[in-house]
Amino acid sequence: MSVIAFTLLVTIKQHQSIAIAILSILAIPIGILIFWLSGIFPANRFIVFDRERQLVYFTQRTRNKIDSSTWTDSSYLIYDENHVYRPYSYCNTKVALIRPPHDLIKDGAPPSPKAHKLMDLDGKQFSLWHTTEAEAIYRYIVAFMTAPPTEGPAAEVAKADHELCDEHYAGNWDLMRRIEGWRWYRLDPSKLPDQPNWIRHPDGRWERTGPGVKVLRPWWENLIKPRRPAINQNTENPDA
C-alpha cells in the first residue's frame, strides 16, 4: 500500500487528489484480499493432540483444512537450526512434526529446501528453544498422549485451570472460557474427524484415504460474538 501511494504521488504530483482517489479505490479489493489471506497464512497454523482418540490433527500448508493421522503413526524431528546471517553457527533447537507422506525412517530428515515437509511446534510466542528445552517439550507431548488423565501433564493442566478459575474468575468457568478462549476461538473441536485421513502402512508408505476437513470458524464470527466459549464445551462439568 505504501509503495502504491508513493508511486502515485510521485508520478502525478500535480494531481494529488486523483492519486488519493485511485488509492482509495484500490484499498477496497486489497483489504478484502488481506482478510481472505488471513485464513491461509501461518497465524492459523496449529496442531491438536487428541489424547482420547489418539489422533494428531495438523493444518494443511495452503488451505484452511486439517489433516490427521494416528498418534502412533506420526513422526517428529528434533533438529538444530543455524543463524541466517551466520550459516555455520548454532542458533536454536526446534521440535517439528513431519508431514505425510514424508517418512523419517524411510526418507530421512528433509533438507532445508524441503523444510515445508516440517511443521514446527514453536508455540504461540514463537520462542527459541535450546536442546534440553526442545527435548523436554517432546517428552511432555509423549507423556500427555500416553499417561493416564489423572497423572502427568493432563493432571497438571487440569490443576492449573482450576487454580486460574478460582483465583481470577471466582470459579466462573463460563466467564473464564469467554475471556481466555479468544486465542483459539476459530477452532471448532466438534468438527474434528473421528478417523485419520493419512494412514501409514507397515512398509512406511503413507496413503491418503480422504480429503482434509474444515474445522475453523469464519474470521468474522469473532467480530459478531467475541470471546465466546466453544459450542461443545460442557460448562456444567469443569472436568469435561
Side-chain angles (χ1 to χ4, degrees):
M1 294 293 289
S2 300
V3 172
I4 294 174
F6 178 78
T7 303
L8 290 173
L9 290 175
V10 169
T11 54
I12 47 177
K13 188 182 300 183
Q14 65 275 20
H15 301 290
Q16 292 188 10
S17 59
I18 299 177
I20 295 175
I22 296 176
L23 179 61
S24 301
I25 295 174
L26 292 174
I28 297 175
I30 291 177
I32 295 174
L33 178 63
I34 290 174
F35 276 118
W36 179 77
L37 291 176
S38 67
I40 299 178
F41 283 170
N44 294 313
R45 304 300 86 174
F46 61 86
I47 300 177
V48 176
F49 295 95
D50 191 329
R51 184 179 64 248
E52 181 178 352
R53 298 172 180 169
Q54 287 295 293
L55 295 177
V56 179
Y57 305 95
F58 46 93
T59 50
Q60 297 180 359
R61 291 187 60 242
T62 57
R63 303 187 65 185
N64 240 355
K65 294 183 178 181
I66 61 105
D67 290 326
S68 55
S69 64
T70 61
W71 161 249
T72 54
D73 284 342
S74 59
S75 298
Y76 301 85
L77 180 67
I78 300 176
Y79 67 99
D80 293 336
E81 188 176 55
N82 295 333
H83 286 282
V84 176
Y85 51 89
R86 286 181 293 172
Y88 299 101
S89 60
Y90 170 80
C91 177
N92 60 279
T93 304
K94 288 191 173 184
V95 185
L97 166 71
I98 300 181
R99 295 177 178 274
H102 191 89
D103 184 74
L104 181 63
I105 298 176
K106 183 178 67 174
D107 303 324
S112 298
K114 297 183 178 180
H116 61 275
K117 297 181 181 294
L118 301 177
M119 186 173 183
D120 292 331
L121 282 71
D122 287 328
K124 62 182 181 180
Q125 301 298 334
F126 299 99
S127 301
L128 299 179
W129 313 108
H130 294 292
T131 302
T132 54
E133 295 171 327
E135 293 175 351
I137 291 172
Y138 179 71
R139 288 195 299 269
Y140 185 92
I141 295 172
V142 173
F144 175 80
M145 294 295 290
T146 58
T150 56
E151 303 175 6
E156 295 174 6
V157 171
K159 180 181 178 182
D161 286 345
H162 280 79
E163 293 176 352
L164 175 66
C165 184
D166 293 338
E167 181 177 355
H168 297 283
Y169 301 99
N172 189 333
W173 284 87
D174 282 338
L175 178 61
M176 187 183 80
R177 283 168 174 154
R178 283 196 300 270
I179 295 178
E180 298 290 334
W182 70 271
R183 297 183 181 90
W184 52 86
Y185 79 96
R186 291 201 63 191
L187 174 64
D188 188 352
S190 64
K191 295 181 180 179
L192 292 173
D194 297 329
Q195 299 296 327
N197 68 328
W198 280 101
I199 298 177
R200 190 167 68 174
H201 295 279
D203 60 355
R205 178 178 57 87
W206 282 96
E207 179 184 0
R208 190 173 188 177
T209 58
V213 179
K214 189 172 183 179
V215 300
L216 296 181
R217 299 184 180 93
W219 59 267
W220 59 80
E221 280 194 14
N222 195 44
L223 301 178
I224 302 174
K225 297 179 180 180
R227 296 185 178 182
R228 71 206 182 292
I231 297 175
N232 68 327
Q233 284 186 350
N234 185 354
T235 55
E236 296 180 358
N237 182 8
D239 296 326

